[in-house]
Amino acid sequence: MKEIRLMKGNEAVAEGAIRAGADAYFGYPITPQSEVMEYLMLEKPHERTGMVVLQAESEVASINMLYGAAGTGKRVMTSSSSPGISLMQEGISYMAGAELPCILVNVVRGGPGLGTIQPSQADYFQTTKGGGHGDYRLIALAPASVQEMFDFAGLGFELAFKYRTPVMIQTDGLIGQMMEKVELSEQQARITEFDQSWATTGKTPDRAQNVITSLDLDSSRQEQHNIHLQKKYQEVADNEVRYETFDSDDAEYLFVAYGSSARICQKAIELGRAKGIKVGLFRPITLWPYPMKELKAAAAKVKGILAVEQSAGQMIEDVKLATECNIKAEHFGRMGGMIPTPEEVLLALENKIIGGK
Amino acid sequence: MAKVIGAIVVDEEHCKGCEVCVVACPTQVIGMTDRVNSKGYHIAYMETPESCTGCANCAIVCPDGVITVYKMKKEA
Amino acid sequence: MDIKDIIKPENLVYKKTDHMTDKVLSYCPGCGHGTAHRILMEVIDEMGVRADTIGVAPVGCSVLAYDFMNIDMQGAAHGRAPAVATGIKRCWPDKFVFTYQGDGDLAAIGTAETIHACNRGENITILFINNGIYGMTGGQMAPTTLEGMRTTTSPYGRDLESMGNPIKITELIANLPGVHYVTRQAVHTPRYVRRTKKAIFKAFDIQKNKKGLSFVEIVSNCNSGWKMTPNQSNIWMEDNMFPYYPLGDIKVDGKIINE
């Protein structure tokens, strides 16, 4: 018997973490993601699986608690929304440098600054192009449904430990707040069986001390560490690209969109096809690694691309990189927490791409 | 009557010549060499070894842990 | 009698613990950090708890503490050691977890993490090395720099009106209910080293018995930053630091000691 529940996106990612065998969650309230910790506190995962849930004094403390716990080999998660994720960037860079696995959930809201509490996708640059200091990458998963919010917790831990790197679940206030049917998977064991030889659990006589750090004052060694990281990121880029297409087989035009914008585009496709416009969707699921080759191949079959994102135009840069600017590609989006309607999206396709030669 | 006598061994290469041990010694055993180690530090040594009681005070305050202490009873 | 007759394994009374590595300490000659490191490792050695101990190093002079302490350790971001330690301890409640932090790390940039870890009563030990200055970056003013004290960023002496008062963070955190034991010690003379070691033993014992947070401040010297010889700096410390940061227990068994 499948276990099916009606849940909010924020609740689903929390339940997903419990069932994926998470050991700990550290977080700080911020709209529109507070339900993640609220749900965890209500659920008493300490009784269910032994999972620790702690409300920290700030996002800065949360990410550093994550660092400490992850450094002992535990499966850990935090969540926040844009301004809080900005506060965490220092710690995220440290975790990437120290090669610590974890899940970070960003339920994006409109910015810049304190901005608004409404949905946005304007943290694309922050997540995929750095965010913190130094040369590092985050694996970024962009769920477009409440089901994926649940599923990506498990997938996120799998990838985080496979590559010993932080994984960002990059979603937005719309997916976080909306309710949908979720099919729940079974509880996984909390005690993980991965290689813990690197973790700080107390030095035993049979091994040398383990140290978790991102510091090496010897530049030649630090460069070697950077080369090692880059190799790892290349491996991720080669193996972990995820995307999906929708109505793209006969498409003459493509929407490229992720997360909630991909949902809006699906409706715009319906409206467009009713008017005879053959339009499809290319949806990156991993924002990094971005599906460069796959988008290039898809773009070769169409006349133009409209990148739809609730931003001033961030992902469009990767669309242009992927297509090497060989195809007409424009951005359409709303900002500051405004959500585009399917009608607006279709109109933008008609004006900017179909009619706009 | 048994008299307690002691001795210290200084890891000369790792001594930084800070002289904290010199003032910590209750019997004024320790002095500093004129010569220096490869880092350029003067080295702590037993200037008056016969006064050492092996109390280990010097080793306890040595920030670099370079002093090892021995102690034995000597029949008078 | 020849010295060679004394220097025999059976006569050994003191040597550096093997819980310290053989790396040359990166500290200046005469700096109290080395002594503080060593007695901390002696406590872990004598308690036999290395396999159950995880330390957290700060940012500051002791940023490389894990190069010298031969135990499992994590290097925290500046000021965040208590948060890192919280993450570890919450996942491993039966392990010994300590932070080793300087005054800039603990009492300036990391004040929030310090206060809240203390307030939650995290069952960890905080070792706080207070030398009233930022040593590693070259002797700038710290939150704990004394009134009138010259540093590179208070070249005419700390002016209380414009730069604020030296913070007594230890007294501050002693008032928090989650904190079980607070003491202020020193490591510049054998007598104080022995006392401080006892205090660290007590702190670890409190952790073992899960009674709450234990906090050991060590008032120490920074002869380079203060621009003195090591022995001069220790005398200056006694004359100037100890009156403002008086040594002794501040809170024992969860109760503040009233002098």
Side-chain angles (χ1 to χ4, degrees):
Chain A
M1 243 309 259
K2 279 176 180 162
E3 195 180 348
I4 291 172
R5 225 185 271 174
L6 182 67
M7 299 182 97
K8 266 192 173 190
N10 287 337
E11 295 168 346
V13 76
E15 181 65 30
I18 299 173
R19 294 203 182 210
D23 293 297
Y25 171 95
F26 304 97
Y28 187 77
I30 182 172
T31 308
Q33 66 77 49
S34 297
E35 293 86 357
V36 179
M37 186 164 44
E38 287 172 352
Y39 180 88
L40 287 171
M41 288 291 188
L42 263 176
E43 274 300 307
K44 298 187 187 170
H46 196 73
E47 291 177 9
R48 275 177 63 182
T49 67
M51 176 184 175
V52 172
V53 184
L54 180 64
Q55 178 168 341
E57 63 269 30
S58 67
E59 288 89 350
V60 175
S62 308
I63 192 72
N64 286 286
M65 290 174 184
L66 221 61
Y67 178 103
T72 64
K74 295 287 185 180
R75 288 186 177 198
V76 292
M77 182 172 98
T78 188
S79 62
S80 189
S81 179
S82 310
I85 295 287
S86 290
L87 269 172
M88 291 184 185
Q89 289 301 331
E90 181 201 34
I92 295 171
S93 171
Y94 276 63
M95 292 188 81
E99 298 190 84
L100 295 179
C102 70
I103 291 182
L104 317 154
V105 182
N106 186 1
V107 185
V108 181
R109 60 189 249 185
L114 205 47
T116 173
I117 58 169
Q118 304 300 332
S120 167
Q121 296 181 310
D123 292 359
Y124 182 88
F125 281 161
Q126 187 188 50
T127 295
T128 63
K129 308 293 176 193
H133 57 282
D135 277 319
Y136 75 91
R137 293 288 192 176
L138 295 178
I139 297 175
L141 303 170
S145 65
V146 176
Q147 181 69 52
E148 284 186 340
M149 287 288 270
F150 177 86
D151 293 341
F152 286 4
L155 175 63
F157 280 130
E158 191 189 309
L159 294 173
F161 278 90
K162 185 173 174 189
Y163 296 101
R164 269 186 71 186
T165 190
V167 170
M168 177 74 86
I169 296 178
Q170 174 94 353
T171 182
D172 57 65
L174 205 159
I175 304 288
Q177 291 294 327
M178 75 182 186
M179 295 188 83
E180 284 183 324
K181 182 179 81 171
V182 185
E183 189 183 318
L184 302 177
S185 55
E186 277 179 16
Q187 178 68 49
Q188 288 181 42
R190 197 177 62 81
I191 305 301
T192 44
E193 287 170 12
F194 60 91
D195 168 29
Q196 287 191 5
S197 58
W198 51 269
T200 51
T201 52
K203 184 198 171 313
T204 45
D206 57 337
R207 67 160 169 85
Q209 68 172 157
N210 282 341
V211 173
I212 300 293
T213 182
S214 57
L215 175 78
D216 197 330
L217 294 172
D218 181 325
S219 294
S220 61
R221 281 202 309 257
Q222 187 62 264
E223 186 184 43
Q224 284 308 312
H225 178 60
N226 269 271
I227 290 169
H228 160 72
L229 290 178
Q230 292 305 317
K231 265 191 198 156
K232 181 169 82 173
Y233 297 144
Q234 189 56 53
E235 208 184 315
V236 176
D238 291 343
N239 298 308
E240 304 300 345
V241 165
R242 285 169 169 78
Y243 71 101
E244 68 174 13
T245 54
F246 180 78
D247 277 353
S248 65
D249 290 345
D250 64 339
E252 293 175 358
Y253 302 97
L254 266 189
F255 291 125
V256 180
Y258 61 89
S260 59
S261 287
R263 301 278 293 252
I264 295 163
C265 285
Q266 287 188 11
K267 183 68 185 173
I269 288 167
E270 207 180 298
L271 299 175
R273 284 185 176 262
K275 288 172 72 174
I277 301 169
K278 286 183 175 173
V279 56
L281 169 70
F282 184 96
R283 176 194 159 220
I285 294 172
T286 48
L287 303 184
W288 192 87
Y290 196 79
M292 291 283 174
K293 278 184 281 185
E294 296 77 3
L295 180 56
K296 187 183 178 183
K301 298 181 203 156
V302 298
K303 296 176 188 167
I305 287 176
L306 187 71
V308 181
E309 187 183 46
Q310 288 148 63
S311 76
Q314 301 191 7
M315 185 193 62
I316 183 72
E317 294 192 2
D318 281 335
V319 171
K320 289 189 172 177
L321 274 175
T323 58
E324 295 163 3
C325 297
N326 283 328
I327 184 170
K328 185 170 179 59
E330 296 285 343
H331 161 77
F332 175 72
R334 299 289 302 268
M335 293 175 284
M338 293 302 291
I339 301 164
T341 64
E343 290 79 8
E344 274 179 290
V345 171
L346 182 62
L347 192 63
L349 178 76
E350 290 173 306
N351 289 341
K352 290 184 159 194
I353 304 296
I354 301 174
K357 282 268 167 164
Chain B
M1 186 190 142
K3 187 193 168 197
V4 176
I5 53 169
I8 65 169
V9 175
V10 177
D11 178 349
E12 297 198 344
E13 258 316 287
H14 291 149
C15 176
K16 291 180 184 162
C18 71
E19 303 183 19
V20 171
C21 57
V22 176
V23 299
C25 178
T27 52
Q28 288 85 44
V29 170
I30 303 172
M32 303 303 292
T33 59
D34 289 334
R35 67 190 168 89
V36 294
N37 62 18
S38 67
K39 289 272 168 62
Y41 295 122
H42 296 284
I43 305 155
Y45 79 111
M46 287 198 287
E47 200 170 42
T48 54
E50 62 280 6
S51 307
C52 181
T53 62
C55 73
N57 275 3
C58 54
I60 284 167
V61 292
C62 174
D64 291 276
V66 302
I67 302 176
T68 305
V69 185
Y70 299 87
K71 182 159 95 170
M72 65 182 286
K73 277 181 186 165
K74 181 185 155 195
E75 298 305 319
Chain C
M1 187 175 199
D2 198 77
I3 288 173
K4 279 182 190 150
D5 297 324
I6 310 173
I7 301 171
K8 283 180 180 167
E10 62 268 30
N11 294 334
L12 180 74
V13 287
Y14 189 92
K15 72 184 260 262
K16 190 179 80 173
T17 166
D18 70 355
H19 283 35
M20 289 290 285
T21 66
D22 288 328
K23 290 190 182 124
V24 179
L25 297 175
S26 52
Y27 306 111
C28 302
C31 172
H33 267 305
T35 315
H37 280 26
R38 200 181 66 250
I39 56 173
L40 171 59
M41 288 305 105
E42 284 175 3
V43 168
I44 290 165
D45 188 0
E46 286 163 38
M47 287 178 77
V49 295
R50 173 153 71 174
D52 292 310
T53 302
I54 301 144
V56 183
V59 170
C61 286
S62 47
V63 67
L64 292 173
Y66 46 74
D67 273 359
F68 314 125
M69 301 181 186
N70 192 10
I71 60 170
D72 276 6
M73 285 190 84
Q74 298 192 15
H78 199 14
R80 317 300 171 215
V84 171
T86 299
I88 300 170
K89 189 73 179 194
R90 291 286 176 136
C91 287
W92 298 89
D94 295 329
K95 301 267 182 196
F96 292 88
V97 180
F98 70 85
T99 71
Y100 184 102
Q101 303 175 258
D103 41 313
D105 192 87
L106 180 141
I109 193 167
T111 311
E113 285 75 16
T114 303
I115 298 268
H116 284 281
C118 289
N119 192 51
R120 286 191 303 266
E122 295 296 340
N123 196 28
I124 59 173
T125 297
I126 294 179
L127 264 96
F128 168 40
I129 311 295
N130 176 10
N131 57 15
I133 204 161
Y134 284 86
M136 184 187 225
T137 43
Q140 292 82 11
M141 185 176 72
T144 46
T145 296
L146 298 175
E147 181 182 4
M149 194 170 156
R150 288 169 194 265
T151 70
T152 58
T153 51
S154 60
Y156 307 106
R158 184 179 190 148
D159 167 41
L160 297 191
E161 207 170 311
S162 64
M163 298 166 177
N165 285 276
I167 189 169
K168 294 187 178 186
I169 188 103
T170 305
E171 278 80 355
L172 207 63
I173 65 107
N175 284 296
L176 301 172
V179 179
H180 188 79
Y181 173 55
V182 180
T183 189
R184 184 185 280 125
Q185 302 291 340
V187 290
H188 66 306
T189 67
R191 180 166 144 249
Y192 283 118
V193 174
R194 290 189 176 98
R195 278 193 194 179
T196 306
K197 190 172 164 183
K198 265 188 205 159
I200 298 171
F201 260 118
K202 190 177 168 82
F204 271 66
D205 194 56
I206 286 162
Q207 232 190 108
K208 191 176 173 181
N209 293 305
K210 297 186 166 59
K211 287 181 178 167
L213 192 134
S214 44
F215 190 100
V216 180
E217 173 179 347
I218 298 172
V219 180
S220 194
N221 61 345
C222 178
N223 41 293
S224 294
W226 298 353
K227 312 211 182 305
M228 300 171 193
T229 68
N231 282 328
Q232 278 171 351
S233 75
N234 285 337
I235 293 165
W236 189 89
M237 176 171 72
E238 287 179 349
D239 292 345
N240 296 276
M241 295 283 279
F242 292 177
Y244 194 80
Y245 301 113
L247 304 189
D249 289 342
I250 296 168
K251 191 177 193 181
V252 177
D253 294 334
K255 289 187 190 75
I256 293 195
I257 308 233
N258 293 308
E259 297 277 324

